[in-house]
Structure formats: C-alpha cells, structure tokens
Amino acid sequence: MIRLKDVEKTYENGTKALQGISFTIEDGEFVFLVGPSGSGKSTIAKLIAGFWDVTSGSITLGGQDLKRVPLKQLYDQVAFVSQDNYLFDESIRENIRMGRPAATDAEVEAVAKAAGCDAFIRSLEHGYDTVVGGGGAHLSGGERQRIAIARAMLKDAPIVVLDEATAYIDPENEAVVQQAVGRLVAGKTVLVIAHRLSTITGADQIVVVNGGRSQDVGTHGELLKNCPLYQEMWRAHMGAKEGEQA
Ligand code: ADP
C-alpha cells in the first residue's frame, strides 16, 4: 500500500509544486493521476520513486515512511518509467540489463521481445551490441521508451510508476507501446500519469490533481458525476476522439 498524506513539495527555486496531496493506493490497484499541465503529477510520481524527499507530510510504502526506506530497497520496489528515462553510453543489451544486473543475455532478449523492441534492435548494424546514449546511435523517442519498458520489465518490481508519454507516440508506434505497457503492468500496483484518457475507464481509482492539490479521488463514474474538472477533461477527450475519426 502506498499512502500520501498532506504531501507538500517546494522545489529549491521556491516553486511550490504540491500542497496538501493525500491519497492511498492499495496493493494491486491501478490508479490514474490526471490534471492540467503543471498541476504536479510528475512531481508526485518522482516523489514516490524516491527522486526527492517531501518538504512536509509523508509518503509511506507498506506502512514505512519513505524517508526511512534505504534507496536501494526503494529502487527494488518501484520501477519508474517516463519519457525521459536515461540511456547510458553503453550497448542496448547493457542498458536493458540495468533493470536486473544478474540477468542473462537470454533474459534480456526475452523482455526486449515482450516490450516490442527486439525487431528494431536486430535491424541495427550491431544489434544488441549497438552503443546508445549521448555518444551512441540515435534512437527515436518511441524506441527509447520501449527500451525503458524492457528495462523495467526485467526489474519486475511490485510497483510500477508510469509517466505516460505522448510526445513520441505516433499511431504506428502506439499499439506496440500499449501492448508493452500492458505486459509491464500485469499483476502490479500501478500509478499512471495519464496524458490522454483513452484507457482510464478501467482504473480502480483516479486522482484529479489541480494546482498542486488532490482535488478529487474516485472512479471514472463517480468523477463524471461529481468533479467538474474531470467532466471537462473527459469532454475534451471525447471531442478529440471524434475529431480523429472525422
Ligand atoms: P505536471 O506533471 O502535472 O505537468 P509537474 O509536477 O511537472 O506538473 O510540475 C508542477 C510544478 O512544479 C510546475 O509549476 C513546474 O514548473 C514545477 N517544477 C517541476 N519540476 C521542477 C524542478 N525540477 N524545479 C523547479 N520547479 C519544478
């Protein structure tokens, strides 16, 4: 169980990103975080993944305050996948293996297949030995994202925090990424920062964040009834979908 209680986060430059965030994620739940750009969603995700400590309030994991959980232990528990997951100046094979350093080559290739990246990796001149990262081969955003998903799959952490990418997703890529994400999150406790609402109706809980506060928490049906901001976001989503189909 992950519990956020009155969480505040002020960045070093004085930006008050979060003020009074409270919600609970039960084990095995699938929770979506939605809200306008700049409302604090990524900050929440990064606090849970241990990037920083809260300024005040608390985050507990299985009842234990995150401030007291050794970073190594937290890292084993939480897989964080975002659009800017870092690729190191090493081979693709080693970049994926970082998820679990003891993994064999066969295990690395198995997750690459499951994450939909085996084919493009094999099409590179040096295959799995291709060096990527700052000084290496250029990969598209979608390819980098799938490598990050493969790395997280290998890690097999019980909690997955996923900052859903939009920037890199083209329609061709989307189905592959969705399938990879589906495999990554199966059976896990999952927090997704949703930039689009396409899969949201199946969420156990949706947390609506606005101006650094958790404005409303509920299911899709509950929020459609009670939360004007959610209604507005849903209408915009449905409108955009109709536009796509037209
Ligand atoms: P969202 O994910 O909902 O778009 P963020 O959590 O990224 O929102 O940002 C919340 C607020 O915190 C914004 O005002 C943003 O500019 C600010 N912010 C985010 N990251 C940093 C940072 N590293 N340093 C200072 N301010 C930040």
Side-chain angles (χ1 to χ4, degrees):
M1 184 179 75
I2 306 167
R3 174 169 283 163
L4 288 83
K5 191 155 179 288
D6 302 327
V7 169
E8 291 193 20
K9 170 67 189 170
T10 304
Y11 283 107
E12 273 170 21
N13 66 2
T15 303
K16 231 179 173 196
L18 303 177
Q19 37 197 333
I21 294 282
S22 299
F23 64 91
T24 301
I25 305 174
E26 300 291 345
D27 290 345
E29 269 191 343
F30 202 104
V31 176
F32 269 79
L33 214 48
V34 299
S37 173
S39 58
K41 304 181 295 295
S42 302
T43 302
I44 294 173
K46 288 177 179 168
L47 286 173
I48 293 173
F51 282 52
W52 308 287
D53 282 334
V54 300
T55 306
S56 71
S58 66
I59 300 178
T60 55
L61 202 67
Q64 204 182 1
D65 195 308
L66 273 200
K67 284 184 177 164
R68 291 195 193 86
V69 178
L71 216 51
K72 163 82 177 72
Q73 192 185 324
L74 182 63
Y75 181 78
D76 287 343
Q77 298 253 347
V78 182
F80 179 71
V81 181
S82 85
Q83 20 191 335
D84 40 37
N85 267 103
Y86 200 72
L87 292 185
F88 295 86
D89 286 332
E90 292 201 42
S91 66
I92 292 181
R93 191 192 309 284
E94 296 314 319
N95 265 285
I96 295 176
R97 206 194 315 266
M98 267 163 212
R100 181 158 47 88
T104 64
D105 286 358
E107 288 170 324
V108 167
E109 289 174 26
V111 292
K113 280 201 184 89
C117 34
D118 182 71
F120 88 75
I121 294 172
R122 287 184 192 279
S123 74
L124 299 168
E125 194 186 337
H126 300 291
Y128 279 85
D129 296 318
T130 305
V131 174
V132 290
H138 177 76
L139 298 182
S140 75
E143 290 166 349
R144 297 166 70 90
Q145 190 189 20
R146 279 180 273 153
I147 288 180
I149 291 172
R151 187 192 277 169
M153 276 180 180
L154 196 57
K155 184 164 159 176
D156 200 22
I159 298 168
V160 176
V161 177
L162 181 75
D163 193 343
E164 198 179 63
T166 44
Y168 303 126
I169 292 192
D170 50 67
E172 209 176 307
N173 205 344
E174 182 169 3
V176 185
V177 172
Q178 289 295 354
Q179 200 176 36
V181 166
R183 289 178 179 150
L184 171 67
V185 303
K188 312 284 190 199
T189 303
V190 185
L191 179 67
V192 180
I193 299 182
H195 296 285
R196 290 160 312 154
L197 306 187
S198 30
T199 53
I200 205 161
T201 51
D204 293 306
Q205 278 194 86
I206 300 159
V207 179
V208 181
V209 186
N210 195 14
R213 297 177 190 277
S214 32
Q215 175 167 324
D216 264 308
V217 181
T219 62
H220 173 70
E222 288 164 354
L223 293 173
L224 266 191
K225 263 193 225 132
N226 304 325
C227 177
L229 176 58
Y230 188 77
Q231 289 164 0
E232 195 183 302
M233 289 186 327
W234 183 248
R235 265 200 303 272
H237 166 68
M238 294 310 279
K241 245 174 64 174
E242 272 165 29
E244 269 168 32
Q245 282 160 3

